[in-house]
Amino acid sequence: SRTLFSVDGRTVKGMTLLVNGVPWSDPYNDDPLARFLTLSRVRRVEVIYSASPALTGRAASGGVINIVIEEGGRKPPFAAGDFTWGANGRKSRKAWFSSPDAFINGTIAYDEYMQDYFESVAGNPGALTGLYNSRSVLLDLTMRGKAADRVLVRLRRFEDSYEGTRNWPELRDPLQPPEDVRYSGFDSEIRYVRGGAEVSVRQRFVEMKRKAGQTSGLVLGGAATWQGMAGPADVKGFVSAERAEFENELWGVRFAPDADRAEGGLTLGGMAGQLRWRGGLSAGTMTGSGFFAGGEAAVSHGDEKGLYQTLMAARRVRTPTVEELYQPALERLPDGDMLSTSGDPDLGHETSDEISLGLGYGTAVRADIFARFERSRIEIEGSDPAVYASDGSDDVIGLRASLDGGGATGVALFDYRWQLSGHWFADRAEITPGVPEYYVLGGLWLTRPSFRKTETLTIGVRASETGSRFFPGVELGSYTLIDLSVSLTVMGVVVKFEMKNILDEKYETVPGMYMPGQHYRFGINWRLFN
């Protein structure tokens, strides 16, 4: 299904998914393309709750998830394979190879995820959904010069296929049986880096074929970023431009919109006594919504003991998607996630005035109070057909906090690491479906090295509690999940086992679809030339 997420109660369209700092989303509806990532190359995930446009390369940005994928090779040649099996026919195959890090380096990675049919329809326990297959291929070529400059050429091919999928099972129309869906695309990028400057050109083609018809979009764009010093201040800036063209047909209605976008921004920062400060402005223009602009200002203070405080105020903007602007009125309600809606070419951009206050101690303790005042929210109004309108407004007030630590237990020579984090909303945006009242996540990991540290046993327990969530016409209750993981590393081989949802909790993340109950996963990761 579509990969949706929320940070600080924002809609998925109020989030920006980046891969190594480059936006990674469907050009038609701005949905994140996280399911098409080659996860075998992921090194870390960065969450930025209210992101500076200078970091995202987008003047219209709010919260950001930046997935950092390893680029280039390592000193020796390196290869890795990861194979996983689980309940309900869940299987994954991941492998990649990289030549030694030298003047020219090449990398190839392949990921595949599969799942059989399983029972998940809340209104019909005997109904089966699934038979899912996702594949992605990544090719990287890196060339390094003598002046510490670098050229990266990246090609990506990805595809999802679903057989007999019913995306909205509550619509039990016998004339609308489950359908097959194919979602695929191709992405390429050429990037040149020298010192603090970076220039790139990129292309992305995304296509979805289903019973309702098909959507296909091609995006061509380029961007430049730079960072350096202007006197005592750090300076970071960006400019970017792109053009998107589409050829769509939904329920017999053909439409071929196009959209142009150009934007840029500049951020400065530095020290003023014991205060660290940052300020920035960004602006751009887009077909349909016209000119947009935002800005930010932040200060922080820390002492030698590690205690620090931060204060940030910003105006963030979100431009409407091509779907919200140009989708024509559809005459029927399809059995899927394309509702009977009509775009509005006169939509304006959303604005969000934000403020946050943070306190922390080193990297172990952090707490933030945040408030966001959302205006001109784009929402669907009316019926026959429903039309996108920029009339929504709401407020969000919340608290997020995290604690972590570690050390040695002194028992059986185990080292330990623990983490606890959570969100709580005093006021949620009522027009944003699916935002939980609260969310708490905790974990404990025990690690024991042996045989001159060539073998490592790791035992982990993760628990989460998710509060109630509102959707149009329905409220979903809270639920608790507990997962157990065990892994054994022997030289370059990792054997791993996971028991997911130990309590066999029956829960829904969206109305009408049950998530998997208690199930297991078993896998092997093999690293060569390590």
Side-chain angles (χ1 to χ4, degrees):
S1 65
R2 299 162 66 191
T3 304
L4 304 181
F5 47 78
S6 176
V7 173
D8 278 355
R10 301 179 193 270
T11 66
V12 68
K13 290 181 172 61
M15 297 291 304
T16 301
L17 177 67
L18 305 177
V19 177
N20 289 19
V22 177
W24 183 240
S25 60
D26 188 312
Y28 181 62
N29 53 26
D30 223 19
D31 278 356
L33 298 177
R35 55 184 167 174
F36 295 127
L37 291 171
T38 46
L39 298 179
S40 56
R41 295 284 285 171
V42 172
R43 288 296 165 260
R44 66 182 183 275
V45 177
E46 302 169 342
V47 179
I48 308 170
Y49 294 99
S50 184
S52 168
L55 298 176
T56 65
R58 288 272 190 177
S61 64
V64 165
I65 295 179
N66 183 35
I67 299 178
V68 180
I69 292 180
E70 184 174 353
E71 293 183 349
R74 304 179 186 181
K75 288 185 178 180
F78 193 93
D82 187 286
F83 307 92
T84 302
W85 302 266
N88 295 320
R90 290 182 176 87
K91 298 179 286 289
S92 70
R93 295 191 286 256
K94 297 178 286 186
W96 64 274
F97 170 79
S98 182
S99 62
D101 190 14
F103 173 69
I104 297 179
N105 162 260
T107 299
I108 180 171
Y110 175 79
D111 284 21
E112 183 174 24
Y113 303 88
M114 295 164 285
Q115 178 177 282
D116 293 341
Y117 290 110
F118 69 101
E119 295 185 7
S120 66
V121 182
N124 187 352
L128 299 178
T129 61
L131 202 57
Y132 165 74
N133 195 340
S134 174
R135 298 165 292 277
S136 59
V137 179
L138 170 71
L139 297 173
D140 275 358
L141 178 65
T142 304
M143 294 167 283
R144 303 182 186 276
K146 295 182 179 180
D149 52 351
R150 176 168 58 95
V151 175
L152 171 69
V153 180
R154 168 166 290 168
L155 305 176
R156 279 183 284 220
R157 178 75 171 90
F158 46 86
E159 179 183 271
D160 262 359
S161 62
Y162 304 81
E163 295 184 14
T165 295
R166 180 177 289 278
N167 287 338
W168 290 91
E170 64 270 25
L171 302 177
R172 307 302 297 173
D173 185 351
L175 299 179
Q176 300 296 322
E179 62 176 335
D180 297 341
V181 180
R182 182 177 179 271
Y183 195 13
S184 61
F186 178 78
D187 179 89
S188 62
E189 178 186 6
I190 300 176
R191 188 191 318 160
Y192 175 72
V193 181
R194 181 166 185 171
E198 181 177 304
V199 179
S200 64
V201 292
R202 46 187 180 258
Q203 163 272 334
R204 179 172 303 142
F205 174 77
V206 178
E207 180 180 61
M208 175 181 283
K209 292 183 177 181
R210 61 189 308 166
K211 181 175 56 183
Q214 74 174 48
T215 60
S216 60
L218 174 65
V219 180
L220 300 175
T225 64
W226 65 93
Q227 55 185 352
M229 299 292 296
D234 298 317
V235 180
K236 187 170 185 178
F238 77 95
V239 292
S240 67
E242 65 181 31
R243 177 174 178 81
E245 297 184 351
F246 301 86
E247 292 185 2
N248 301 338
E249 181 176 353
L250 297 175
W251 296 108
V253 179
R254 294 187 177 185
F255 56 108
D258 56 67
D260 297 311
R261 180 189 187 103
E263 54 200 315
L266 189 67
T267 297
L268 289 83
M271 297 293 297
Q274 293 185 328
L275 289 178
R276 179 175 293 277
W277 61 273
R278 185 184 82 235
L281 294 172
S282 57
T285 182
M286 178 181 173
T287 303
S289 62
F291 177 80
F292 54 89
E296 62 179 345
V299 293
S300 64
H301 175 269
D303 60 26
E304 64 278 0
K305 296 181 180 180
L307 183 67
Y308 63 89
Q309 309 86 37
T310 62
L311 176 65
M312 186 275 296
R315 164 161 285 194
R316 308 296 187 198
V317 296
R318 181 183 83 82
T319 55
T321 66
V322 173
E323 177 186 31
E324 293 167 337
L325 287 169
Y326 301 119
Q327 180 171 291
L330 302 179
E331 296 180 356
R332 61 185 300 180
L333 180 67
D335 181 22
D337 53 8
M338 297 177 183
L339 300 177
S340 180
T341 57
S342 175
D344 182 356
D346 295 324
L347 287 176
H349 55 266
E350 296 182 353
T351 62
S352 175
D353 295 322
E354 308 178 2
I355 186 170
S356 67
L357 172 65
L359 301 172
Y361 182 75
T363 59
V365 181
R366 182 175 180 88
D368 294 272
I369 300 173
F370 58 90
R372 191 166 65 250
F373 310 100
E374 301 177 343
R375 301 295 179 263
S376 302
R377 276 284 302 271
I378 298 174
E379 57 181 333
I380 296 176
E381 294 184 348
S383 60
D384 197 26
V387 179
Y388 287 105
S390 302
D391 298 333
S393 63
D394 218 328
D395 302 332
V396 177
I397 302 174
L399 168 70
R400 59 176 177 266
S402 63
L403 302 168
D404 62 74
T409 63
V411 179
L413 301 179
F414 273 99
D415 297 330
Y416 69 92
R417 179 171 58 90
W418 62 271
Q419 187 177 52
L420 180 65
S421 62
H423 279 68
W424 173 73
F425 289 94
D427 189 3
R428 290 177 286 175
E430 296 179 357
I431 58 177
T432 304
V435 177
E437 179 185 4
Y438 61 88
Y439 177 74
V440 180
L441 172 66
L444 173 65
W445 295 268
L446 301 175
T447 303
R448 186 181 189 278
S450 59
F451 292 101
R452 298 182 180 180
K453 298 184 179 181
T454 60
E455 298 181 4
T456 303
L457 174 66
T458 302
I459 302 172
V461 178
R462 286 168 56 95
S464 64
E465 169 80 13
T466 302
S468 61
R469 291 138 294 139
F470 291 99
F471 289 85
V474 64
E475 178 182 0
L476 299 182
S478 61
Y479 61 89
T480 302
L481 298 178
I482 299 178
D483 301 331
L484 171 68
S485 63
V486 180
S487 67
L488 177 64
T489 303
V490 182
M491 303 297 287
V493 178
V494 181
V495 180
K496 51 191 177 180
F497 174 81
E498 292 180 293
M499 181 61 73
K500 312 287 285 186
N501 193 3
I502 292 177
L503 301 179
D504 199 23
E505 184 90 350
K506 203 168 189 177
Y507 67 101
E508 303 165 69
T509 56
V510 295
M513 296 291 289
Y514 282 127
M515 297 301 291
Q518 185 185 97
H519 61 283
Y520 68 90
R521 294 178 185 173
F522 173 78
I524 298 175
N525 182 284
W526 186 20
R527 291 166 288 184
L528 300 176
F529 316 118
N530 185 20

